[in-house]
Amino acid sequence: MTQTLRMALLLLAAAVVASFVASSGPIQWMDNGAFLADATQGHYLSESLGPLEHPLYQFFNSLFYALFGSWLLSLLNSILLLPMAWLIYLLALNVGADRRLALLAATAAVLSHAVFWISTKAEVYIFHSLFVLLAYWIHLDRQSHLSSLKKLFLIGLVTGLGASVHQLTFVVLLPLYIQLLARYKSRVLITLPGFALGFALAWPAIAHDLGDGLNLIDIARRYMTGTTAKASTGGWQGSLFRFDDMWHEKNSVFLLLLSLLGPQLLGLIMFPGDSRQRLLWSAAALNFVFAVSYNVTDRFTFFLPGVQLLCILGILRLHSLLPTDRQGSALLHLSVLTSPVVLLLVYTLYSWGAIRLPSHTEPLPVRNDIHYFMVPYLPDRSAENFIRAYATTIPEGALILADWTPMGALRSAQASGELRGRSLLQCDEAGNIDPYLQGPGAWLVRTSYCAMVGERYALEQRALGYVLHKK
């Protein structure tokens, strides 16, 4: 093994270890905390195929918790960086990289903002990206001895597995299927039975929805968009391709663009000449357009597969531009550290008061949003600190009212054995809570997104949140 190869391997190992160190632990905010809490319920199968369901991920998460417990479950995405890096390595080898470049591509992907942030949380996207990477690797593997029909069936199988984790599968694999259709014509239909098999863990939910009177078209539409033909609300269709709203939501767009710090930016702006690399570029570019214009706060998480593919292309582009001497090799290795170095430097300047950065209009107690969202390389245990403060403040038997984001922390805390004896209720589900007011009391975490509670009760502000009283 050459010295440069050893250095590339060392960088990858250090990047993965850094993710374990920066993990947010078994108590987390919002969806992340909800995933941790849901895994402890023992519900292996989804009851309905709603837009927020992830049948295969739910099964895998619940099984992982049953086998290893809450602490290791909170490290699951750091663990999944290992197969993710391996797949990126294999895919890079098949599109023209040597072993060193393939290792550097995997390292750049691990250290990219979106991938590293998600690796420190309980979230679906790294698990999902494994199936996207696997599908492209099966298609591009030059050493495979499989027949075209077997390859197509396997790609269909992997697509079904990915689709049973997240709907983003249909976006990122679209360029692959266009190429398969052009190359194999009607034989591409063999992917359908493979897809049906891969989608198996979603079939019980589909059967339940059919029993509730929905037809297959309504089920598919609801899973993809969050609505049906009979629904009164529009779901997420109105959030797609909202280029007109990008400036208004510039903070969330900025978070997505952080994932382009490093060689991956070259991968996006430089169109490759190699046909295999063009396929990956098409998938990554489509993913970028979809994610940057998807009008949701966490749009950066939807860019994960694209970032991984762009890291492969970016390393190849940078290698072709740099000289082949020792200085060029050193710059190539250092390029994978661009994202953590830049973001940590900016955060340091922010901490010193040298620069100002936009803050969230609805802050959470204990959490610094700049730290939380922008620099995942530094450990963030704000949710755990929030719970510890509440555990010493709120007596057993009391009620805690909260919106979705702090509710994730509260639920995951109880799932891991903390904050026992307190009742939890989301603000929009609060009914008659007078019995709590006459007993141990009721607390409100924050007024944001909880106006319906603040209008009904008098609020006494405390260091963390509010105590509710009758008006």
Side-chain angles (χ1 to χ4, degrees), residues 406-463:
M407 184 57 71
L410 295 165
R411 288 190 60 213
S412 58
Q414 289 197 336
S416 60
E418 303 288 337
L419 210 63
R420 291 177 176 172
R422 287 80 167 180
S423 299
L424 308 178
L425 196 62
Q426 275 196 207
C427 294
D428 54 3
E429 298 174 353
N432 180 21
I433 63 172
D434 289 351
Y436 288 99
L437 302 182
Q438 299 164 5
W443 269 255
L444 178 65
V445 174
R446 60 176 180 171
T447 55
S448 306
Y449 313 110
C450 289
M452 68 291 290
V453 175
E455 292 169 355
R456 292 166 51 196
Y457 299 94
L459 305 181
E460 177 189 346
Q461 188 167 7
R462 296 290 180 89

Side-chain angles (χ1 to χ4, degrees), residues 138 229 389 398:
I138 291 171

Side-chain angles (χ1 to χ4, degrees), residues 133-193:
L133 294 169
L134 185 57
Y136 278 103
W137 174 69
I138 291 171
H139 175 60
L140 294 171
D141 184 19
R142 293 176 293 179
Q143 298 182 345
S144 174
H145 300 294
L146 295 173
S147 67
S148 59
L149 287 180
K150 288 181 179 178
K151 264 194 173 186
L152 289 170
F153 180 83
L154 280 177
I155 290 172
L157 174 67
V158 171
T159 303
L161 291 169
S164 66
V165 178
H166 202 281
Q167 302 91 325
L168 186 60
T169 304
F170 299 107
V171 175
V172 190
L173 292 186
L174 179 59
L176 172 60
Y177 274 82
I178 291 174
Q179 187 171 104
L180 292 177
L181 185 61
R183 181 177 300 181
Y184 296 109
K185 305 296 190 294
S186 62
R187 284 183 294 170
V188 80
L189 292 174
I190 195 64
T191 60
L192 293 178

Side-chain angles (χ1 to χ4, degrees), residues 73 109 130 152 213 243 376 390 438 454 463:
L73 179 62
L130 298 180
L152 289 170
F243 298 100
Y390 258 48
Q438 299 164 5

Side-chain angles (χ1 to χ4, degrees), residues 258-320:
L258 294 181
S259 292
L260 293 175
L261 288 171
Q264 51 268 39
L265 178 59
L266 285 177
L268 179 62
I269 65 177
M270 296 182 67
F271 188 69
D274 182 271
S275 61
R276 297 164 300 170
Q277 295 175 27
R278 283 200 301 269
L279 176 63
L280 299 189
W281 183 89
S282 299
L286 179 60
N287 189 190
F288 173 74
V289 171
F290 172 84
V292 79
S293 63
Y294 189 27
N295 196 28
V296 292
T297 304
D298 60 344
R299 69 185 75 197
F300 73 96
T301 61
F302 289 84
F303 188 34
L304 197 74
V307 171
Q308 295 164 337
L309 299 177
L310 289 176
C311 285
I312 297 173
L313 301 176
I315 286 292
L316 290 170
R317 297 287 78 73
L318 187 59
H319 177 253
S320 68

Side-chain angles (χ1 to χ4, degrees), residues 83-104:
M84 185 203 83
W86 177 244
L87 284 170
I88 292 173
Y89 174 83
L90 293 177
L91 191 53
L93 291 179
N94 280 282
V95 296
D98 59 26
R99 290 194 297 165
R100 178 176 69 113
L101 296 181
L103 287 171
L104 290 175

Side-chain angles (χ1 to χ4, degrees), residues 200-345:
L201 283 173
W203 290 120
I206 292 174
H208 176 271
D209 290 339
L210 288 171
D212 277 351
L214 292 176
N215 57 48
L216 288 175
I217 294 176
D218 279 342
I219 294 170
R221 182 178 175 184
R222 187 179 64 160
Y223 185 54
M224 295 297 294
T225 68
T227 189
T228 64
K230 300 177 182 178
S232 57
T233 57
W236 283 283
Q237 294 176 102
S239 299
L240 297 173
F241 304 113
R242 290 299 304 272
F243 298 100
D244 60 310
D245 214 23
M246 286 173 57
W247 179 251
H248 181 263
E249 299 296 332
K250 53 186 175 295
N251 288 352
S252 61
V253 172
F254 172 74
L255 279 177
L256 181 144
L257 295 179
L258 294 181
S259 292
L260 293 175
L261 288 171
Q264 51 268 39
L265 178 59
L266 285 177
L268 179 62
I269 65 177
M270 296 182 67
F271 188 69
D274 182 271
S275 61
R276 297 164 300 170
Q277 295 175 27
R278 283 200 301 269
L279 176 63
L280 299 189
W281 183 89
S282 299
L286 179 60
N287 189 190
F288 173 74
V289 171
F290 172 84
V292 79
S293 63
Y294 189 27
N295 196 28
V296 292
T297 304
D298 60 344
R299 69 185 75 197
F300 73 96
T301 61
F302 289 84
F303 188 34
L304 197 74
V307 171
Q308 295 164 337
L309 299 177
L310 289 176
C311 285
I312 297 173
L313 301 176
I315 286 292
L316 290 170
R317 297 287 78 73
L318 187 59
H319 177 253
S320 68
L321 295 173
L322 289 173
T324 56
D325 56 16
R326 182 175 297 180
Q327 288 77 14
S329 179
L331 287 173
L332 187 63
H333 284 76
L334 290 174
S335 71
V336 304
L337 303 176
T338 302
S339 182
V341 169
V342 170
L343 293 180
L344 287 170
L345 176 60

